[in-house]
Amino acid sequence: MILVGLNLRPALSSLAPLLPRIEGEGVLSVLVLSSLTTLPVLCLGLFAPFAPWLAQRLGMERSLALALIVLSAGLALRGFSHAPLLFTGTIMAGAAIGILGTLLPALVKRELADKADLMTGVYTMALCLGGALGAGLSIPLANLLGSWSFSLMAWASLSLTALLAWWLIMPQPLPEIQPKASNKRIRSLLKQPLAWQVMLLMGSQSSLAYIVFGWLPTLLVRQGYSESEAGWLMGLSILTQLSSAIAAPWIARMSKDQRPALMLVLVLIGLGLWMLLLGSPALRWPGSIVLGLGQGGSFSLALTLIVLRSGNSKIAGELSALAQGGGYALAAMGPLVVGFMLDANLSIQAIAQLLFAILAFAAAMALLAGRKRCLESNAQGEFITVNQRT
């Protein structure tokens, strides 16, 4: 699980530090680059709902292995500067990450139900480490290998390593035969406000994360920082996420009500964004750390809520598909809008206002999704929302 988590972010974070260099070479326009930051996030949302279907036919372990194969191939193709191959590789990588990220919460709920929240924090910490490596090493790799294309392609080696280890170590159970999710059951899930609240929280906080992954270095370069420093600022922010990713679920498990923990991490995100984008240049390094603490905790808690708001592993898989499918589709709009704003030469202040508006919406959803509620199934197989026992 940790090895898989390590590969869920380099495909997203490794491109952003290279965007100013790619734009400067005139290889791709700003609008095309904007679509490259949006496309993988959109694929996360489009392909996440297919994860339960795939797991029913191949089993969860084999589905994860197949997704790692697709991820490796996508990362290799993404290294070609030829636009069709670049876009094809980006779509493949986004689709694979959508499958991997959706299956992991269900696997955690199945294998480690009693410690599901803490295990979610552990693999989220690995996920953050992968994101930090992608952000921090992209420019050094490009300088070492002599090309931004080779820098992007190099990340396929990490996913191939994870695939080899996963295939050698993973168990080989037969697929669990489960009844196919009926349209009635899907409609029943969509009627539950709690499911929507978890999904919208996942989408809004993920939108901020992918705006940072996609555009923070570009925003910092436009403020006068070098591309190398901008990449390291983002890398430090993502690296800092490791500590809060593991700590936030531990703090949240002290109560069935996760609202205080959610509010804390969202306030940290807002403070970090203000320090980086609107504050004094002297605040850039502390701001990077504060932003990382907030975003690591918010993402870890959002994933943890999928587990905590689910009565069993089957429900966790279904809620994960909805929350991550719909949430990432919503999150994809954030990097796209910021790309349009940059192309229109709007000010950093205008972009910051958009980020704070998204943050306020995330806080509203957190106050609802963080309450002591849980999704269960009744005798008719329909979803119901019940109060959790303290």
Side-chain angles (χ1 to χ4, degrees), residues 42-75:
L42 182 60
C43 288
L44 297 185
L46 293 177
F47 286 90
F50 290 99
W53 175 85
L54 190 64
Q56 286 177 352
R57 283 151 181 78
L58 300 180
M60 207 172 294
E61 289 80 5
R62 290 180 176 83
S63 298
L64 285 162
L66 176 62
L68 284 171
I69 293 172
V70 175
L71 176 61
S72 302
L75 290 172

PDB file of all heavy atoms in Angstrom, residues 42-75:
ATOM      1  N   LEU A  42      -8.828  15.490 -14.264  1.00  0.00           N
ATOM      2  CA  LEU A  42     -10.126  15.112 -14.828  1.00  0.00           C
ATOM      3  C   LEU A  42     -10.205  13.601 -15.017  1.00  0.00           C
ATOM      4  O   LEU A  42     -11.248  12.986 -14.756  1.00  0.00           O
ATOM      5  CB  LEU A  42     -10.325  15.829 -16.163  1.00  0.00           C
ATOM      6  CG  LEU A  42     -11.664  15.588 -16.872  1.00  0.00           C
ATOM      7  CD1 LEU A  42     -12.824  16.039 -15.993  1.00  0.00           C
ATOM      8  CD2 LEU A  42     -11.696  16.308 -18.218  1.00  0.00           C
ATOM      9  N   CYS A  43      -9.104  12.995 -15.455  1.00  0.00           N
ATOM     10  CA  CYS A  43      -9.082  11.533 -15.625  1.00  0.00           C
ATOM     11  C   CYS A  43      -9.251  10.813 -14.289  1.00  0.00           C
ATOM     12  O   CYS A  43      -9.850   9.732 -14.240  1.00  0.00           O
ATOM     13  CB  CYS A  43      -7.780  11.103 -16.298  1.00  0.00           C
ATOM     14  SG  CYS A  43      -7.677  11.525 -18.042  1.00  0.00           S
ATOM     15  N   LEU A  44      -8.718  11.391 -13.206  1.00  0.00           N
ATOM     16  CA  LEU A  44      -8.938  10.797 -11.884  1.00  0.00           C
ATOM     17  C   LEU A  44     -10.423  10.658 -11.631  1.00  0.00           C
ATOM     18  O   LEU A  44     -10.899   9.634 -11.133  1.00  0.00           O
ATOM     19  CB  LEU A  44      -8.309  11.671 -10.793  1.00  0.00           C
ATOM     20  CG  LEU A  44      -6.795  11.882 -10.784  1.00  0.00           C
ATOM     21  CD1 LEU A  44      -6.389  12.680  -9.560  1.00  0.00           C
ATOM     22  CD2 LEU A  44      -6.046  10.575 -10.825  1.00  0.00           C
ATOM     23  N   GLY A  45     -11.177  11.707 -11.960  1.00  0.00           N
ATOM     24  CA  GLY A  45     -12.613  11.667 -11.724  1.00  0.00           C
ATOM     25  C   GLY A  45     -13.357  10.753 -12.678  1.00  0.00           C
ATOM     26  O   GLY A  45     -14.276  10.034 -12.282  1.00  0.00           O
ATOM     27  N   LEU A  46     -12.940  10.740 -13.940  1.00  0.00           N
ATOM     28  CA  LEU A  46     -13.655   9.933 -14.935  1.00  0.00           C
ATOM     29  C   LEU A  46     -13.444   8.440 -14.742  1.00  0.00           C
ATOM     30  O   LEU A  46     -14.346   7.636 -14.988  1.00  0.00           O
ATOM     31  CB  LEU A  46     -13.207  10.348 -16.344  1.00  0.00           C
ATOM     32  CG  LEU A  46     -13.594  11.756 -16.801  1.00  0.00           C
ATOM     33  CD1 LEU A  46     -13.010  12.051 -18.176  1.00  0.00           C
ATOM     34  CD2 LEU A  46     -15.117  11.903 -16.832  1.00  0.00           C
ATOM     35  N   PHE A  47     -12.251   8.041 -14.299  1.00  0.00           N
ATOM     36  CA  PHE A  47     -11.927   6.620 -14.222  1.00  0.00           C
ATOM     37  C   PHE A  47     -12.109   6.026 -12.825  1.00  0.00           C
ATOM     38  O   PHE A  47     -12.169   4.807 -12.690  1.00  0.00           O
ATOM     39  CB  PHE A  47     -10.505   6.375 -14.716  1.00  0.00           C
ATOM     40  CG  PHE A  47     -10.355   6.482 -16.203  1.00  0.00           C
ATOM     41  CD1 PHE A  47     -10.043   7.697 -16.801  1.00  0.00           C
ATOM     42  CD2 PHE A  47     -10.557   5.382 -17.012  1.00  0.00           C
ATOM     43  CE1 PHE A  47      -9.916   7.815 -18.176  1.00  0.00           C
ATOM     44  CE2 PHE A  47     -10.441   5.476 -18.393  1.00  0.00           C
ATOM     45  CZ  PHE A  47     -10.118   6.708 -18.981  1.00  0.00           C
ATOM     46  N   ALA A  48     -12.195   6.861 -11.795  1.00  0.00           N
ATOM     47  CA  ALA A  48     -12.392   6.333 -10.443  1.00  0.00           C
ATOM     48  C   ALA A  48     -13.635   5.450 -10.314  1.00  0.00           C
ATOM     49  O   ALA A  48     -13.584   4.409  -9.649  1.00  0.00           O
ATOM     50  CB  ALA A  48     -12.440   7.487  -9.438  1.00  0.00           C
ATOM     51  N   PRO A  49     -14.784   5.803 -10.942  1.00  0.00           N
ATOM     52  CA  PRO A  49     -15.963   4.935 -10.805  1.00  0.00           C
ATOM     53  C   PRO A  49     -15.794   3.544 -11.406  1.00  0.00           C
ATOM     54  O   PRO A  49     -16.578   2.639 -11.088  1.00  0.00           O
ATOM     55  CB  PRO A  49     -17.051   5.722 -11.555  1.00  0.00           C
ATOM     56  CG  PRO A  49     -16.612   7.143 -11.496  1.00  0.00           C
ATOM     57  CD  PRO A  49     -15.116   7.072 -11.601  1.00  0.00           C
ATOM     58  N   PHE A  50     -14.796   3.346 -12.277  1.00  0.00           N
ATOM     59  CA  PHE A  50     -14.575   2.021 -12.871  1.00  0.00           C
ATOM     60  C   PHE A  50     -13.802   1.090 -11.933  1.00  0.00           C
ATOM     61  O   PHE A  50     -13.715  -0.115 -12.207  1.00  0.00           O
ATOM     62  CB  PHE A  50     -13.820   2.149 -14.193  1.00  0.00           C
ATOM     63  CG  PHE A  50     -14.615   2.768 -15.300  1.00  0.00           C
ATOM     64  CD1 PHE A  50     -14.459   4.111 -15.601  1.00  0.00           C
ATOM     65  CD2 PHE A  50     -15.540   2.028 -16.010  1.00  0.00           C
ATOM     66  CE1 PHE A  50     -15.200   4.712 -16.601  1.00  0.00           C
ATOM     67  CE2 PHE A  50     -16.290   2.607 -17.021  1.00  0.00           C
ATOM     68  CZ  PHE A  50     -16.120   3.958 -17.322  1.00  0.00           C
ATOM     69  N   ALA A  51     -13.242   1.625 -10.857  1.00  0.00           N
ATOM     70  CA  ALA A  51     -12.419   0.808  -9.972  1.00  0.00           C
ATOM     71  C   ALA A  51     -13.198  -0.350  -9.345  1.00  0.00           C
ATOM     72  O   ALA A  51     -12.717  -1.491  -9.351  1.00  0.00           O
ATOM     73  CB  ALA A  51     -11.782   1.682  -8.894  1.00  0.00           C
ATOM     74  N   PRO A  52     -14.409  -0.124  -8.762  1.00  0.00           N
ATOM     75  CA  PRO A  52     -15.149  -1.271  -8.196  1.00  0.00           C
ATOM     76  C   PRO A  52     -15.492  -2.319  -9.252  1.00  0.00           C
ATOM     77  O   PRO A  52     -15.439  -3.528  -8.978  1.00  0.00           O
ATOM     78  CB  PRO A  52     -16.418  -0.610  -7.622  1.00  0.00           C
ATOM     79  CG  PRO A  52     -16.036   0.810  -7.378  1.00  0.00           C
ATOM     80  CD  PRO A  52     -15.092   1.151  -8.488  1.00  0.00           C
ATOM     81  N   TRP A  53     -15.841  -1.888 -10.457  1.00  0.00           N
ATOM     82  CA  TRP A  53     -16.155  -2.819 -11.551  1.00  0.00           C
ATOM     83  C   TRP A  53     -14.944  -3.672 -11.886  1.00  0.00           C
ATOM     84  O   TRP A  53     -15.046  -4.885 -12.067  1.00  0.00           O
ATOM     85  CB  TRP A  53     -16.603  -2.014 -12.764  1.00  0.00           C
ATOM     86  CG  TRP A  53     -16.845  -2.836 -14.004  1.00  0.00           C
ATOM     87  CD1 TRP A  53     -17.984  -3.495 -14.351  1.00  0.00           C
ATOM     88  CD2 TRP A  53     -15.898  -3.082 -15.062  1.00  0.00           C
ATOM     89  NE1 TRP A  53     -17.811  -4.137 -15.560  1.00  0.00           N
ATOM     90  CE2 TRP A  53     -16.546  -3.903 -16.015  1.00  0.00           C
ATOM     91  CE3 TRP A  53     -14.579  -2.689 -15.286  1.00  0.00           C
ATOM     92  CZ2 TRP A  53     -15.906  -4.325 -17.181  1.00  0.00           C
ATOM     93  CZ3 TRP A  53     -13.953  -3.125 -16.439  1.00  0.00           C
ATOM     94  CH2 TRP A  53     -14.613  -3.934 -17.377  1.00  0.00           C
ATOM     95  N   LEU A  54     -13.779  -3.035 -11.959  1.00  0.00           N
ATOM     96  CA  LEU A  54     -12.554  -3.768 -12.279  1.00  0.00           C
ATOM     97  C   LEU A  54     -12.197  -4.741 -11.161  1.00  0.00           C
ATOM     98  O   LEU A  54     -11.789  -5.888 -11.426  1.00  0.00           O
ATOM     99  CB  LEU A  54     -11.421  -2.776 -12.500  1.00  0.00           C
ATOM    100  CG  LEU A  54     -10.108  -3.311 -13.082  1.00  0.00           C
ATOM    101  CD1 LEU A  54     -10.340  -3.839 -14.492  1.00  0.00           C
ATOM    102  CD2 LEU A  54      -9.046  -2.205 -13.108  1.00  0.00           C
ATOM    103  N   ALA A  55     -12.366  -4.313  -9.911  1.00  0.00           N
ATOM    104  CA  ALA A  55     -12.026  -5.170  -8.777  1.00  0.00           C
ATOM    105  C   ALA A  55     -12.927  -6.398  -8.712  1.00  0.00           C
ATOM    106  O   ALA A  55     -12.499  -7.478  -8.293  1.00  0.00           O
ATOM    107  CB  ALA A  55     -12.124  -4.384  -7.473  1.00  0.00           C
ATOM    108  N   GLN A  56     -14.190  -6.269  -9.119  1.00  0.00           N
ATOM    109  CA  GLN A  56     -15.098  -7.409  -9.115  1.00  0.00           C
ATOM    110  C   GLN A  56     -14.653  -8.489 -10.094  1.00  0.00           C
ATOM    111  O   GLN A  56     -14.894  -9.670  -9.883  1.00  0.00           O
ATOM    112  CB  GLN A  56     -16.515  -6.955  -9.469  1.00  0.00           C
ATOM    113  CG  GLN A  56     -17.226  -6.208  -8.343  1.00  0.00           C
ATOM    114  CD  GLN A  56     -18.591  -5.728  -8.759  1.00  0.00           C
ATOM    115  OE1 GLN A  56     -18.973  -5.808  -9.923  1.00  0.00           O
ATOM    116  NE2 GLN A  56     -19.348  -5.216  -7.812  1.00  0.00           N
ATOM    117  N   ARG A  57     -13.994  -8.086 -11.166  1.00  0.00           N
ATOM    118  CA  ARG A  57     -13.620  -9.040 -12.210  1.00  0.00           C
ATOM    119  C   ARG A  57     -12.205  -9.581 -12.053  1.00  0.00           C
ATOM    120  O   ARG A  57     -11.955 -10.744 -12.366  1.00  0.00           O
ATOM    121  CB  ARG A  57     -13.777  -8.371 -13.581  1.00  0.00           C
ATOM    122  CG  ARG A  57     -15.244  -8.301 -13.994  1.00  0.00           C
ATOM    123  CD  ARG A  57     -15.545  -7.123 -14.901  1.00  0.00           C
ATOM    124  NE  ARG A  57     -16.978  -7.118 -15.218  1.00  0.00           N
ATOM    125  CZ  ARG A  57     -17.922  -6.678 -14.384  1.00  0.00           C
ATOM    126  NH1 ARG A  57     -17.585  -6.213 -13.191  1.00  0.00           N
ATOM    127  NH2 ARG A  57     -19.197  -6.720 -14.724  1.00  0.00           N
ATOM    128  N   LEU A  58     -11.293  -8.775 -11.584  1.00  0.00           N
ATOM    129  CA  LEU A  58      -9.899  -9.214 -11.469  1.00  0.00           C
ATOM    130  C   LEU A  58      -9.452  -9.448 -10.036  1.00  0.00           C
ATOM    131  O   LEU A  58      -8.431 -10.094  -9.811  1.00  0.00           O
ATOM    132  CB  LEU A  58      -8.971  -8.170 -12.108  1.00  0.00           C
ATOM    133  CG  LEU A  58      -9.168  -7.865 -13.590  1.00  0.00           C
ATOM    134  CD1 LEU A  58      -8.163  -6.810 -14.048  1.00  0.00           C
ATOM    135  CD2 LEU A  58      -9.034  -9.118 -14.428  1.00  0.00           C
ATOM    136  N   GLY A  59     -10.215  -8.913  -9.080  1.00  0.00           N
ATOM    137  CA  GLY A  59      -9.748  -8.903  -7.699  1.00  0.00           C
ATOM    138  C   GLY A  59      -9.008  -7.602  -7.430  1.00  0.00           C
ATOM    139  O   GLY A  59      -8.438  -6.987  -8.339  1.00  0.00           O
ATOM    140  N   MET A  60      -8.996  -7.171  -6.194  1.00  0.00           N
ATOM    141  CA  MET A  60      -8.418  -5.883  -5.869  1.00  0.00           C
ATOM    142  C   MET A  60      -6.917  -5.840  -6.131  1.00  0.00           C
ATOM    143  O   MET A  60      -6.379  -4.874  -6.658  1.00  0.00           O
ATOM    144  CB  MET A  60      -8.735  -5.539  -4.413  1.00  0.00           C
ATOM    145  CG  MET A  60      -8.785  -4.054  -4.123  1.00  0.00           C
ATOM    146  SD  MET A  60      -9.380  -3.669  -2.473  1.00  0.00           S
ATOM    147  CE  MET A  60     -11.067  -4.246  -2.575  1.00  0.00           C
ATOM    148  N   GLU A  61      -6.212  -6.926  -5.763  1.00  0.00           N
ATOM    149  CA  GLU A  61      -4.763  -6.940  -5.921  1.00  0.00           C
ATOM    150  C   GLU A  61      -4.354  -6.890  -7.388  1.00  0.00           C
ATOM    151  O   GLU A  61      -3.451  -6.137  -7.776  1.00  0.00           O
ATOM    152  CB  GLU A  61      -4.172  -8.191  -5.256  1.00  0.00           C
ATOM    153  CG  GLU A  61      -4.213  -8.161  -3.724  1.00  0.00           C
ATOM    154  CD  GLU A  61      -5.589  -8.541  -3.159  1.00  0.00           C
ATOM    155  OE1 GLU A  61      -6.467  -8.919  -3.955  1.00  0.00           O
ATOM    156  OE2 GLU A  61      -5.764  -8.452  -1.941  1.00  0.00           O
ATOM    157  N   ARG A  62      -5.010  -7.697  -8.230  1.00  0.00           N
ATOM    158  CA  ARG A  62      -4.655  -7.700  -9.656  1.00  0.00           C
ATOM    159  C   ARG A  62      -5.055  -6.393 -10.334  1.00  0.00           C
ATOM    160  O   ARG A  62      -4.383  -5.946 -11.269  1.00  0.00           O
ATOM    161  CB  ARG A  62      -5.315  -8.892 -10.341  1.00  0.00           C
ATOM    162  CG  ARG A  62      -4.711 -10.231  -9.939  1.00  0.00           C
ATOM    163  CD  ARG A  62      -5.409 -11.388 -10.652  1.00  0.00           C
ATOM    164  NE  ARG A  62      -4.775 -12.661 -10.351  1.00  0.00           N
ATOM    165  CZ  ARG A  62      -5.016 -13.387  -9.271  1.00  0.00           C
ATOM    166  NH1 ARG A  62      -5.888 -12.950  -8.370  1.00  0.00           N
ATOM    167  NH2 ARG A  62      -4.405 -14.533  -9.076  1.00  0.00           N
ATOM    168  N   SER A  63      -6.135  -5.804  -9.882  1.00  0.00           N
ATOM    169  CA  SER A  63      -6.541  -4.509 -10.443  1.00  0.00           C
ATOM    170  C   SER A  63      -5.490  -3.442 -10.153  1.00  0.00           C
ATOM    171  O   SER A  63      -5.170  -2.609 -11.006  1.00  0.00           O
ATOM    172  CB  SER A  63      -7.895  -4.087  -9.860  1.00  0.00           C
ATOM    173  OG  SER A  63      -8.904  -5.007 -10.205  1.00  0.00           O
ATOM    174  N   LEU A  64      -4.943  -3.462  -8.937  1.00  0.00           N
ATOM    175  CA  LEU A  64      -3.885  -2.520  -8.587  1.00  0.00           C
ATOM    176  C   LEU A  64      -2.635  -2.759  -9.443  1.00  0.00           C
ATOM    177  O   LEU A  64      -1.981  -1.812  -9.891  1.00  0.00           O
ATOM    178  CB  LEU A  64      -3.545  -2.642  -7.104  1.00  0.00           C
ATOM    179  CG  LEU A  64      -4.566  -2.019  -6.143  1.00  0.00           C
ATOM    180  CD1 LEU A  64      -4.388  -2.560  -4.739  1.00  0.00           C
ATOM    181  CD2 LEU A  64      -4.430  -0.504  -6.135  1.00  0.00           C
ATOM    182  N   ALA A  65      -2.302  -4.028  -9.674  1.00  0.00           N
ATOM    183  CA  ALA A  65      -1.134  -4.336 -10.506  1.00  0.00           C
ATOM    184  C   ALA A  65      -1.340  -3.846 -11.938  1.00  0.00           C
ATOM    185  O   ALA A  65      -0.430  -3.270 -12.554  1.00  0.00           O
ATOM    186  CB  ALA A  65      -0.866  -5.847 -10.490  1.00  0.00           C
ATOM    187  N   LEU A  66      -2.541  -4.066 -12.486  1.00  0.00           N
ATOM    188  CA  LEU A  66      -2.830  -3.599 -13.845  1.00  0.00           C
ATOM    189  C   LEU A  66      -2.726  -2.079 -13.932  1.00  0.00           C
ATOM    190  O   LEU A  66      -2.170  -1.538 -14.900  1.00  0.00           O
ATOM    191  CB  LEU A  66      -4.225  -4.062 -14.255  1.00  0.00           C
ATOM    192  CG  LEU A  66      -4.715  -3.577 -15.628  1.00  0.00           C
ATOM    193  CD1 LEU A  66      -3.808  -4.092 -16.739  1.00  0.00           C
ATOM    194  CD2 LEU A  66      -6.162  -4.026 -15.872  1.00  0.00           C
ATOM    195  N   ALA A  67      -3.233  -1.392 -12.927  1.00  0.00           N
ATOM    196  CA  ALA A  67      -3.163   0.067 -12.927  1.00  0.00           C
ATOM    197  C   ALA A  67      -1.719   0.553 -12.875  1.00  0.00           C
ATOM    198  O   ALA A  67      -1.366   1.558 -13.514  1.00  0.00           O
ATOM    199  CB  ALA A  67      -3.966   0.625 -11.751  1.00  0.00           C
ATOM    200  N   LEU A  68      -0.860  -0.149 -12.147  1.00  0.00           N
ATOM    201  CA  LEU A  68       0.560   0.222 -12.107  1.00  0.00           C
ATOM    202  C   LEU A  68       1.226   0.029 -13.475  1.00  0.00           C
ATOM    203  O   LEU A  68       2.106   0.799 -13.858  1.00  0.00           O
ATOM    204  CB  LEU A  68       1.293  -0.591 -11.047  1.00  0.00           C
ATOM    205  CG  LEU A  68       1.069  -0.173  -9.591  1.00  0.00           C
ATOM    206  CD1 LEU A  68       1.671  -1.195  -8.638  1.00  0.00           C
ATOM    207  CD2 LEU A  68       1.683   1.214  -9.328  1.00  0.00           C
ATOM    208  N   ILE A  69       0.816  -1.006 -14.206  1.00  0.00           N
ATOM    209  CA  ILE A  69       1.341  -1.213 -15.557  1.00  0.00           C
ATOM    210  C   ILE A  69       0.945  -0.047 -16.463  1.00  0.00           C
ATOM    211  O   ILE A  69       1.772   0.502 -17.213  1.00  0.00           O
ATOM    212  CB  ILE A  69       0.823  -2.546 -16.135  1.00  0.00           C
ATOM    213  CG1 ILE A  69       1.406  -3.730 -15.353  1.00  0.00           C
ATOM    214  CG2 ILE A  69       1.168  -2.670 -17.617  1.00  0.00           C
ATOM    215  CD1 ILE A  69       0.795  -5.077 -15.726  1.00  0.00           C
ATOM    216  N   VAL A  70      -0.330   0.344 -16.401  1.00  0.00           N
ATOM    217  CA  VAL A  70      -0.814   1.463 -17.224  1.00  0.00           C
ATOM    218  C   VAL A  70      -0.113   2.759 -16.822  1.00  0.00           C
ATOM    219  O   VAL A  70       0.260   3.572 -17.676  1.00  0.00           O
ATOM    220  CB  VAL A  70      -2.346   1.599 -17.090  1.00  0.00           C
ATOM    221  CG1 VAL A  70      -2.850   2.831 -17.833  1.00  0.00           C
ATOM    222  CG2 VAL A  70      -3.047   0.345 -17.610  1.00  0.00           C
ATOM    223  N   LEU A  71       0.088   2.947 -15.527  1.00  0.00           N
ATOM    224  CA  LEU A  71       0.780   4.144 -15.050  1.00  0.00           C
ATOM    225  C   LEU A  71       2.206   4.206 -15.598  1.00  0.00           C
ATOM    226  O   LEU A  71       2.662   5.265 -16.059  1.00  0.00           O
ATOM    227  CB  LEU A  71       0.791   4.164 -13.522  1.00  0.00           C
ATOM    228  CG  LEU A  71       1.569   5.306 -12.862  1.00  0.00           C
ATOM    229  CD1 LEU A  71       0.992   6.655 -13.257  1.00  0.00           C
ATOM    230  CD2 LEU A  71       1.569   5.151 -11.341  1.00  0.00           C
ATOM    231  N   SER A  72       2.908   3.096 -15.554  1.00  0.00           N
ATOM    232  CA  SER A  72       4.286   3.064 -16.058  1.00  0.00           C
ATOM    233  C   SER A  72       4.340   3.407 -17.540  1.00  0.00           C
ATOM    234  O   SER A  72       5.188   4.198 -17.986  1.00  0.00           O
ATOM    235  CB  SER A  72       4.908   1.684 -15.816  1.00  0.00           C
ATOM    236  OG  SER A  72       4.906   1.351 -14.445  1.00  0.00           O
ATOM    237  N   ALA A  73       3.428   2.831 -18.303  1.00  0.00           N
ATOM    238  CA  ALA A  73       3.404   3.112 -19.735  1.00  0.00           C
ATOM    239  C   ALA A  73       3.048   4.574 -20.003  1.00  0.00           C
ATOM    240  O   ALA A  73       3.630   5.222 -20.885  1.00  0.00           O
ATOM    241  CB  ALA A  73       2.386   2.194 -20.426  1.00  0.00           C
ATOM    242  N   GLY A  74       2.107   5.101 -19.239  1.00  0.00           N
ATOM    243  CA  GLY A  74       1.714   6.490 -19.420  1.00  0.00           C
ATOM    244  C   GLY A  74       2.836   7.455 -19.099  1.00  0.00           C
ATOM    245  O   GLY A  74       3.059   8.437 -19.822  1.00  0.00           O
ATOM    246  N   LEU A  75       3.575   7.188 -18.027  1.00  0.00           N
ATOM    247  CA  LEU A  75       4.698   8.053 -17.663  1.00  0.00           C
ATOM    248  C   LEU A  75       5.795   8.013 -18.723  1.00  0.00           C
ATOM    249  O   LEU A  75       6.439   9.032 -19.006  1.00  0.00           O
ATOM    250  CB  LEU A  75       5.258   7.632 -16.306  1.00  0.00           C
ATOM    251  CG  LEU A  75       4.365   7.916 -15.093  1.00  0.00           C
ATOM    252  CD1 LEU A  75       4.949   7.281 -13.841  1.00  0.00           C
ATOM    253  CD2 LEU A  75       4.183   9.412 -14.895  1.00  0.00           C
TER     254      LEU A  75
END
